[in-house]
Coordinates of all heavy atoms in Angstrom, one line a residue:
M111 N 2.8 12.0 4.5 CA 2.2 11.1 3.4 C 2.4 11.8 2.1 O 2.1 13.0 1.9 CB 0.8 10.7 3.7 CG 0.3 9.8 2.8 SD -1.5 9.5 2.8 CE -2.1 11.2 2.4
S181 N -8.8 4.3 2.6 CA -8.3 4.1 4.0 C -9.4 4.5 4.9 O -10.4 5.0 4.5 CB -7.1 4.7 4.3 OG -7.0 6.1 4.0
K191 N -0.6 13.8 25.1 CA 0.3 14.4 26.2 C -0.1 15.9 26.4 O 0.3 16.4 27.4 CB 1.8 14.2 25.9 CG 2.4 14.9 24.6 CD 3.7 14.7 24.5 CE 4.1 15.4 23.2 NZ 5.2 15.3 22.5
R199 N -5.7 8.4 13.2 CA -4.7 7.9 12.4 C -5.3 7.0 11.2 O -6.4 6.4 11.4 CB -3.8 6.8 13.1 CG -2.6 7.3 13.8 CD -2.9 8.3 15.0 NE -1.8 8.4 15.9 CZ -1.8 9.2 16.9 NH1 -2.9 9.9 17.2 NH2 -0.8 9.3 17.7
L200 N -4.7 7.0 10.0 CA -5.3 6.2 8.9 C -4.7 4.9 8.7 O -3.6 4.7 8.9 CB -5.1 7.2 7.5 CG -5.8 8.5 7.6 CD1 -5.4 9.2 6.2 CD2 -7.2 8.4 7.7
Y201 N -5.6 4.0 8.3 CA -5.2 2.6 7.9 C -5.8 2.2 6.6 O -7.0 2.5 6.4 CB -5.6 1.7 9.2 CG -4.7 1.9 10.3 CD1 -5.3 3.0 11.3 CD2 -3.6 1.5 10.6 CE1 -4.4 3.4 12.4 CE2 -2.7 1.8 11.6 CZ -3.2 2.8 12.5 OH -2.4 3.2 13.6
S202 N -5.0 1.5 5.8 CA -5.5 1.2 4.4 C -6.5 0.0 4.6 O -6.4 -0.9 5.4 CB -4.4 0.7 3.6 OG -3.4 1.7 3.4
I203 N -7.5 0.0 3.8 CA -8.5 -1.0 3.7 C -7.8 -2.1 2.9 O -7.4 -1.9 1.8 CB -9.8 -0.6 3.0 CG1 -10.5 0.4 4.0 CG2 -10.7 -1.8 2.7 CD1 -11.7 1.2 3.4
T219 N -8.0 -4.7 7.7 CA -6.7 -3.9 7.6 C -5.5 -4.6 8.1 O -5.8 -5.7 8.6 CB -6.9 -2.4 8.3 OG1 -5.8 -1.7 8.0 CG2 -7.0 -2.7 9.8
T220 N -4.4 -4.0 7.8 CA -3.2 -4.7 8.2 C -2.4 -3.7 9.0 O -1.9 -2.8 8.5 CB -2.4 -5.0 6.8 OG1 -3.3 -5.5 5.9 CG2 -1.3 -6.0 7.0
V221 N -2.2 -4.1 10.3 CA -1.7 -3.1 11.2 C -0.3 -3.6 11.9 O -0.2 -4.6 12.4 CB -2.6 -2.8 12.5 CG1 -2.1 -1.7 13.2 CG2 -4.0 -2.5 11.8
K222 N 0.7 -2.6 11.7 CA 2.0 -2.9 12.3 C 2.0 -2.2 13.6 O 1.7 -1.0 13.7 CB 3.2 -2.4 11.4 CG 4.5 -2.7 11.9 CD 5.5 -2.2 11.0 CE 6.9 -2.0 11.6 NZ 7.6 -3.2 11.9
R223 N 2.3 -2.9 14.6 CA 2.5 -2.3 16.1 C 3.7 -1.4 15.9 O 4.8 -1.9 15.6 CB 2.7 -3.4 17.1 CG 1.4 -4.1 17.5 CD 1.8 -4.9 18.8 NE 0.8 -5.7 19.2 CZ -0.1 -5.5 20.1 NH1 0.0 -4.3 20.7 NH2 -1.1 -6.4 20.6
V224 N 3.6 -0.1 16.3 CA 4.6 0.8 16.3 C 5.3 1.0 17.8 O 4.5 1.2 18.7 CB 4.1 2.2 15.8 CG1 5.3 3.3 16.0 CG2 3.8 2.2 14.4
H225 N 6.5 0.7 17.8 CA 7.3 0.8 19.1 C 8.5 1.7 18.8 O 9.1 1.5 17.8 CB 7.7 -0.5 19.8 CG 6.6 -1.4 20.0 ND1 5.7 -1.2 21.0 CD2 6.3 -2.6 19.4 CE1 4.7 -2.2 21.1 NE2 5.1 -3.1 20.1
H226 N 8.8 2.5 19.8 CA 10.0 3.4 19.5 C 10.6 3.8 20.8 O 9.9 4.2 21.8 CB 9.4 4.7 18.8 CG 10.3 5.7 18.6 ND1 11.1 5.7 17.5 CD2 10.6 7.0 19.1 CE1 11.9 6.8 17.5 NE2 11.6 7.5 18.5
L228 N 12.5 6.0 23.3 CA 12.8 7.5 23.3 C 14.2 7.7 23.8 O 14.8 7.0 24.6 CB 12.0 8.1 24.4 CG 10.5 8.1 24.1 CD1 9.6 8.8 25.2 CD2 10.1 8.8 22.7
Y235 N 8.3 3.9 23.8 CA 7.1 4.7 23.4 C 6.2 3.8 22.5 O 6.8 3.2 21.5 CB 7.4 6.0 22.7 CG 6.1 6.7 22.2 CD1 5.3 7.3 22.9 CD2 5.9 6.5 20.8 CE1 4.1 7.9 22.3 CE2 4.7 6.9 20.2 CZ 4.0 7.7 21.1 OH 2.8 8.3 20.5
D236 N 4.9 3.5 22.9 CA 4.1 2.6 22.1 C 3.2 3.5 21.2 O 2.5 4.3 21.7 CB 3.2 1.8 22.9 CG 4.1 0.8 23.7 OD1 5.1 0.3 23.2 OD2 3.6 0.3 24.7
G237 N 3.1 3.3 19.9 CA 2.3 4.1 19.0 C 0.9 3.9 19.5 O 0.5 2.8 19.9
V238 N 0.2 5.0 19.4 CA -1.2 5.1 20.1 C -2.2 4.2 19.4 O -2.7 3.2 20.0 CB -1.6 6.6 20.1 CG1 -3.1 6.7 20.5 CG2 -0.7 7.4 21.0
A239 N -2.4 4.4 18.1 CA -3.5 3.8 17.4 C -3.1 2.4 17.0 O -4.0 1.4 17.1 CB -3.9 4.6 16.2
S240 N -2.0 2.2 16.5 CA -1.6 0.9 16.1 C -1.7 -0.2 17.2 O -2.2 -1.3 17.0 CB -0.2 0.8 15.5 OG 0.8 1.3 16.4
N241 N -1.3 0.3 18.4 CA -1.3 -0.8 19.5 C -2.7 -0.8 20.1 O -3.2 -1.9 20.4 CB -0.4 -0.4 20.6 CG 1.0 -0.7 20.1 OD1 1.4 -1.8 20.1 ND2 1.8 0.5 19.8
T280 N 3.4 -2.7 5.5 CA 1.9 -2.8 5.4 C 1.3 -2.1 4.2 O 0.2 -2.0 4.0 CB 1.4 -2.0 6.7 OG1 2.0 -0.8 6.8 CG2 1.7 -2.9 8.0
A283 N -1.3 -3.7 2.2 CA -2.7 -3.8 2.6 C -3.7 -3.5 1.4 O -4.6 -4.3 1.0 CB -2.9 -2.9 3.8
P284 N -3.6 -2.3 0.7 CA -4.5 -2.1 -0.3 C -4.4 -3.1 -1.5 O -5.4 -3.4 -2.2 CB -4.1 -0.6 -0.7 CG -2.8 -0.4 -0.3 CD -2.6 -1.1 1.0
E432 N 1.2 6.0 -2.9 CA 0.9 6.2 -1.5 C 1.9 5.7 -0.5 O 2.0 4.6 -0.3 CB -0.5 5.6 -1.2 CG -1.1 5.9 0.2 CD -2.6 5.8 0.1 OE1 -3.3 6.8 -0.2 OE2 -3.0 4.6 0.6
V433 N 2.6 6.7 -0.1 CA 3.8 6.3 0.8 C 3.6 7.1 2.2 O 3.2 8.2 2.1 CB 5.2 6.5 0.2 CG1 5.4 5.6 -0.9 CG2 5.4 8.0 -0.3
Y434 N 4.0 6.5 3.2 CA 3.8 7.1 4.6 C 4.9 6.7 5.6 O 5.6 5.7 5.4 CB 2.4 6.8 5.2 CG 2.0 5.3 5.1 CD1 2.4 4.6 6.2 CD2 1.3 4.7 4.0 CE1 2.0 3.1 6.3 CE2 1.0 3.4 4.1 CZ 1.3 2.6 5.2 OH 1.0 1.3 5.3
Ligands
FAD917 C1 -2.9 6.8 3.9 C2 -2.3 6.0 5.0 C3 -2.5 4.8 5.1 C4 -1.9 4.0 6.1 N1 -2.1 2.7 6.2 C5 -1.5 2.0 7.3 C6 -1.8 0.6 7.3 O1 -2.5 -0.1 6.5 N2 -1.1 -0.1 8.3 C7 -0.4 0.6 9.2 O2 0.2 -0.2 10.1 N3 -0.2 1.8 9.2 C8 -0.8 2.6 8.2 N4 -0.5 4.0 8.1 C9 0.3 4.6 9.2 C10 -0.7 4.9 10.3 O3 -1.6 6.0 10.0 C11 0.0 5.3 11.6 O4 0.8 6.5 11.3 C12 0.9 4.3 12.3 O5 0.2 3.2 12.7 C13 1.4 4.9 13.7 O6 0.4 5.4 14.4 P1 0.4 5.2 16.0 O7 -0.8 5.9 16.5 O8 0.5 3.7 16.3 O9 1.8 5.8 16.4 P2 1.9 7.3 16.9 O10 1.5 7.4 18.4 O11 1.3 8.2 16.0 O12 3.5 7.4 16.9 C14 4.2 7.2 15.7 C15 5.7 7.6 15.8 O13 5.8 9.0 16.2 C16 6.7 9.2 17.2 N5 6.1 9.7 18.4 C17 4.8 10.0 18.6 N6 4.7 10.6 19.7 C18 5.8 10.6 20.4 C19 6.2 11.0 21.7 N7 5.3 11.5 22.5 N8 7.5 11.0 21.9 C20 8.5 10.5 21.0 N9 8.1 10.0 19.9 C21 6.7 10.1 19.5 C22 7.4 7.8 17.5 O14 8.6 7.9 16.7 C23 6.4 6.8 17.0 O15 7.1 5.8 16.6 C24 -1.1 4.7 7.1 C25 -0.9 6.0 7.0 C26 -1.4 6.8 5.9 C27 -1.2 8.2 5.8

Side-chain angles (χ1 to χ4, degrees):
M111 181 192 62
S181 50
K191 61 177 184 202
R199 269 71 160 182
L200 296 181
Y201 293 88
S202 298
I203 292 172
T219 189
T220 315
V221 184
K222 181 178 167 70
R223 281 188 188 267
V224 169
H225 300 292
H226 178 77
L228 299 180
Y235 169 80
D236 293 333
V238 169
S240 59
N241 288 290
T280 55
E432 186 155 276
V433 293
Y434 51 85

